[in-house]
Amino acid sequence: MSSRTTGTRRLTTAQALVAFLARQYTERDGRRHRLVNATWGIFGHGNVAGIGQALVEYADEMPFLQGRNEQAMVHAAVGHARQSNRLSTHAVTTSIGPGATNLVTGAALATVNRLPVLLLPGDTFATRPADPVLQQLEVPYAGDLSVNDTLRPVSAYFDRVTRPEALIPAALQAMRVLTDPAATGAVTLALPQDVQAEAYAWPEEFFAERVWRVRRPQPDPAELHAAVQAVRAASRPLIVAGGGVHHSRAEAALRELAEATGIPVASTQAGKGSLPYDHPADVGGIGHTGTATADHLARTADLVIGVGTRYTDFTTASSTLFAHPGVRFVNLNITGFDAHKMAALPLVADARAGVEHLAAALEGHTVPASYAAEYARLKADWESRVTAAYTPASDDARPTQPQVLGALDTLVTGDDILINAAGSLPGDLHKLWRARSRDQYHVEYGYSCMGYEIPAAVGVALAAPGRPVWALVGDGTYLMNPTEIVTAVQEGIPIKVVILQNHGYASIGGLSESVGAERYGTAYRYRAPDTTYTGATLPVDLAANAASLGMRVLRAQTVRDLREALAEARASTVPTCVYVETETADTVSGAPPAEAWWDVPVAETASRTAAVKAREEYDRHVAARRRHL
């Protein structure tokens, strides 16, 4: 922390906040990082005269980034935070009213994924000189509520700064939560517009540099002993690597543990890349979107060792995956809340510290040779299926979605970063993508938010300058949130956007069919001039749209075209889009089918045959669900 200083400085509340943020740092493992690298903003009444003026005042100390959509600005900040291993982030400022409420989705995404972002929405007048003001929500039963209260349930910390001097404890608490690896997420400081502009004599020590040390909690000896005994007693252990592996930079420690013991490593969406795809112990994604290898090992494992995972329903196949009669769990997690899931033996600690202690305590212990040989064979079998899915029958054909990934697979190195969040692509990527580096695979699946990819790519590129950053989007996702293309063009950020056109919500179309809803409302349909519906393709050109926003656009008709366009985009120094229409528009993707179930309730009674049959299949799966107690 800072040394004590004396004196005061007369600034507005907004000026004081910006000056304070410019002097906050994190430190982990002896390396120091600026905590708030920049502030995103869209100005209106409620922040233009406060935070807006302060950013002008302190332009040399706080970089400013101009966004086009408030939700997208949060996504960009979150992408930056994830790429920075949660040691750095961005702030986001908005006006009151719709500007503030547009933050809610991004805030939820940040908190669900436990990624730090600082939100600074404008708020209505604290002094209430006129009531209501423009865009104010009037609540008859509570005069102190505003639309910003919608951010409370999706924030890891929330405060409303109704007096200048209240900023001091609020700002310090905000920094504490942003830098707490067990409690981080969206942090919201609601700022009434009159308070932002009000001057106050601030103590000089408020502006001194502060270093927030990001701790690595060590495991409790008794918990460690119990975990080690459980591993030594198991004959078919399986590690499930989650996002906590990446957040704590535990990849090298995990690799050493896997190599020393022979325990295979499956990965969640957030944990993919914990080991490179070609490591002998890496068995790929686990759960509903997982590989046949990982899911077979999960069904037969007698011990599951979770490292930094929350055990979402996709990971557990809605509590049907871990089927061994005597299966037990050891959960290494920095939060006790997650460590106790699945009735596990908890090991509450930083992921890297915990893995290192496990490796030391398990010295000399290895899995049976027959088990290692089994998963090596299964891994090889799966890789042949990946190759088959990636390989087109002809270079002159229109590519399937897996073949688009295959074309990209032949091009990238460990420097490339792939970003995705929603639709059918997360499933294909989790099963098929060959992650080459710890941070190449960036799929946001905690909230699976359509529209995350393009703004997140901007934030990632700002955190990893010089590296090729790819935003992979379907047509449905592109239509949700393409606005930050303009930001990338304006700032000269050379992101690469791949638009896969399949004319509808392909993922939900497939799900709709499987639950008896017959793909209703999931395909884009064209109302012809005679007012009848047809199956004709909509006269919409997303490539032209991307070009109109300033992107360089490359159209690919065939697999050969696609390879050439991807290579050209990768080498480009300006924001570039590759547009490709994929084959089999009426199927989800053409990738290998799901290897595990996912619980989406089906109508218990229906007159249509599709729904009746879907319910029969649903009841069969539900019967396999179990509580791990």
Side-chain angles (χ1 to χ4, degrees), residues 245 357 366 411 470 472 535 585:
V245 174
H357 278 82
T366 59
L411 180 69
W470 300 84
L472 308 182

mmCIF file of all heavy atoms in Angstrom, residues 245 357 366 411 470 472 535 585:
data_model
loop_
_atom_site.group_PDB
_atom_site.id
_atom_site.type_symbol
_atom_site.label_atom_id
_atom_site.label_comp_id
_atom_site.label_asym_id
_atom_site.label_seq_id
_atom_site.Cartn_x
_atom_site.Cartn_y
_atom_site.Cartn_z
ATOM 1 N N VAL A 245 -7.846 -23.047 -13.760
ATOM 2 C CA VAL A 245 -6.483 -23.410 -14.158
ATOM 3 C C VAL A 245 -5.829 -22.238 -14.893
ATOM 4 O O VAL A 245 -4.681 -21.869 -14.627
ATOM 5 C CB VAL A 245 -6.495 -24.668 -15.046
ATOM 6 C CG1 VAL A 245 -5.091 -24.961 -15.597
ATOM 7 C CG2 VAL A 245 -7.018 -25.871 -14.260
ATOM 8 N N HIS A 357 1.094 -28.776 -4.616
ATOM 9 C CA HIS A 357 1.121 -29.574 -3.387
ATOM 10 C C HIS A 357 0.663 -31.015 -3.656
ATOM 11 O O HIS A 357 1.238 -31.958 -3.088
ATOM 12 C CB HIS A 357 0.229 -28.931 -2.328
ATOM 13 C CG HIS A 357 0.887 -27.811 -1.581
ATOM 14 N ND1 HIS A 357 0.956 -26.536 -2.072
ATOM 15 C CD2 HIS A 357 1.523 -27.786 -0.374
ATOM 16 C CE1 HIS A 357 1.593 -25.760 -1.211
ATOM 17 N NE2 HIS A 357 1.947 -26.497 -0.170
ATOM 18 N N THR A 366 1.502 -43.615 -9.669
ATOM 19 C CA THR A 366 1.057 -43.586 -11.062
ATOM 20 C C THR A 366 -0.205 -44.432 -11.214
ATOM 21 O O THR A 366 -0.471 -45.329 -10.409
ATOM 22 C CB THR A 366 2.125 -44.140 -12.023
ATOM 23 O OG1 THR A 366 2.438 -45.495 -11.661
ATOM 24 C CG2 THR A 366 3.394 -43.300 -11.978
ATOM 25 N N LEU A 411 -4.038 -23.487 -40.365
ATOM 26 C CA LEU A 411 -3.416 -22.177 -40.564
ATOM 27 C C LEU A 411 -2.788 -21.609 -39.298
ATOM 28 O O LEU A 411 -1.749 -20.946 -39.351
ATOM 29 C CB LEU A 411 -4.482 -21.207 -41.089
ATOM 30 C CG LEU A 411 -4.080 -19.771 -41.369
ATOM 31 C CD1 LEU A 411 -3.147 -19.711 -42.572
ATOM 32 C CD2 LEU A 411 -5.334 -18.933 -41.627
ATOM 33 N N TRP A 470 -9.275 -13.986 -33.564
ATOM 34 C CA TRP A 470 -10.379 -14.372 -34.429
ATOM 35 C C TRP A 470 -11.688 -14.378 -33.647
ATOM 36 O O TRP A 470 -11.783 -15.035 -32.601
ATOM 37 C CB TRP A 470 -10.159 -15.782 -34.980
ATOM 38 C CG TRP A 470 -8.912 -15.960 -35.785
ATOM 39 C CD1 TRP A 470 -7.654 -16.225 -35.312
ATOM 40 C CD2 TRP A 470 -8.798 -15.908 -37.206
ATOM 41 N NE1 TRP A 470 -6.761 -16.345 -36.350
ATOM 42 C CE2 TRP A 470 -7.433 -16.154 -37.528
ATOM 43 C CE3 TRP A 470 -9.704 -15.694 -38.240
ATOM 44 C CZ2 TRP A 470 -6.976 -16.184 -38.843
ATOM 45 C CZ3 TRP A 470 -9.250 -15.726 -39.557
ATOM 46 C CH2 TRP A 470 -7.889 -15.963 -39.844
ATOM 47 N N LEU A 472 -15.281 -15.840 -34.076
ATOM 48 C CA LEU A 472 -16.047 -16.774 -34.891
ATOM 49 C C LEU A 472 -17.524 -16.607 -34.552
ATOM 50 O O LEU A 472 -17.933 -16.821 -33.405
ATOM 51 C CB LEU A 472 -15.611 -18.211 -34.617
ATOM 52 C CG LEU A 472 -14.102 -18.503 -34.707
ATOM 53 C CD1 LEU A 472 -13.843 -19.983 -34.465
ATOM 54 C CD2 LEU A 472 -13.543 -18.084 -36.057
ATOM 55 N N GLY A 535 -39.749 -20.843 -47.939
ATOM 56 C CA GLY A 535 -38.462 -21.196 -47.355
ATOM 57 C C GLY A 535 -37.312 -20.464 -48.004
ATOM 58 O O GLY A 535 -36.155 -20.803 -47.800
ATOM 59 N N ALA A 585 -27.507 -26.463 -44.072
ATOM 60 C CA ALA A 585 -28.121 -25.412 -43.267
ATOM 61 C C ALA A 585 -29.196 -25.948 -42.340
ATOM 62 O O ALA A 585 -29.523 -25.328 -41.339
ATOM 63 C CB ALA A 585 -28.724 -24.347 -44.186
#
